[in-house]
Structure formats: C-alpha cells, structure tokens
Amino acid sequence: MFIMHLYRTKVHFSKTTTDLYRSKQTGLVNDMRNNRTHHYRIVKPFRFFLFVVMSIMITVFAGYTMIGAGNAQAAATRTYVQVTIDEGDSLWSIIERCNKDSHIDVQSAIYDVYEINDIDAADIQPGDKLFIPVY
C-alpha cells in the first residue's frame, strides 16, 4: 500500500476486462487533470534575483544593439575648427586643408558642414565663419 501511494497509482477492482480498461482510462485522465496546476517555490532567492537582473540586462543590451544606439561612431566626440572663408575658397579645399592626414569622403564632410552650420551652398560668402569637422 505504501509503494502505491509513492507512485500515485490507483488500484481499481472490477469484475470484467472492459470495466478494468475503463477504470484505467479514467484514472489516467484524473491524474492529468490533477497535475495541471503547479505551485512553484523560490528555493534560492539570490539566484532568482540574479537571474531576473541578468535577463533584464541581456534584453536591454540586445534592444540597444538592434536599434543601433550602441554605434561607436555616433558616440564618438567630434572636434571642429572655425574657419573664415576667403575669396576663392571652396568647401572642398577647406575640408581637405583641415583634414590632411585622414582619408575621408569629402562629399559627406561637405554635407556635415551644411548640417552643422545650418546653411546651403548659396549662403556661403567671403568673410563668413564656418565650423569644419576634423576627422
């Protein structure tokens, strides 16, 4: 009797084979119904807390990586040089003069100059002071 209790087996006494088969089926169904609800208990709270914190950190890190917030180029600080435009200067020559050692795309640098100074190409006049990014 004790062993049957440990394994949660049910003993059905029936007179016919059909009754025995039906009782086994209902016994299995009842066992499945009884095992639906599980009550969990946190045995080691520190490990659980560590698991929750690490899960949140991994989720946040993955989110930032997916949206591109961790872009190193965007996070880098850029330095600027203030240049006064002389007669005959072009933005191309000014950017090349300020960035002699670096191999940059001058067209994208010109676009950056327009964005930084909030100007168009027609707005540039001799004597104007512009901020030029140094890469």
Side-chain angles (χ1 to χ4, degrees):
M1 190 67 146
F2 178 72
I3 294 174
M4 285 195 280
H5 178 69
L6 282 178
Y7 292 107
R8 293 184 185 191
T9 58
K10 295 183 178 182
V11 177
H12 299 282
F13 298 100
S14 47
K15 295 180 180 178
T16 64
T17 315
T18 310
D19 291 338
L20 182 62
Y21 179 72
R22 285 183 187 155
S23 65
K24 284 184 180 180
Q25 279 186 328
T26 57
L28 290 174
V29 170
N30 287 337
D31 283 344
M32 289 172 60
R33 285 183 186 154
N34 292 338
N35 290 332
R36 279 188 192 161
T37 57
H38 297 286
H39 299 283
Y40 295 103
R41 187 170 50 106
I42 299 172
V43 178
K44 298 190 178 196
F46 178 73
R47 282 188 181 176
F48 178 74
F49 174 75
L50 190 62
F51 171 77
V52 169
V53 169
M54 292 298 291
S55 298
I56 291 171
M57 288 175 57
I58 289 170
T59 304
V60 169
F61 178 75
Y64 275 116
T65 303
M66 289 172 63
I67 63 172
N71 192 352
Q73 186 178 7
T77 57
R78 196 179 278 173
T79 57
Y80 299 96
V81 176
Q82 188 175 14
V83 176
T84 304
I85 305 288
D86 293 331
E87 190 71 36
D89 279 344
S90 66
L91 279 178
W92 193 284
S93 64
I94 292 170
I95 290 172
E96 284 183 336
R97 189 172 46 214
C98 293
N99 295 292
K100 289 180 183 177
D101 297 333
S102 62
H103 301 287
I104 60 166
D105 181 21
V106 180
Q107 287 181 333
S108 65
I110 289 173
Y111 179 76
D112 289 344
V113 170
Y114 290 151
E115 291 291 315
I116 293 165
N117 295 292
D118 194 27
I119 59 170
D120 291 326
D123 296 338
I124 299 172
Q125 301 295 324
D128 288 344
K129 294 185 179 181
L130 299 176
F131 288 103
I132 307 294
V134 178
Y135 297 98

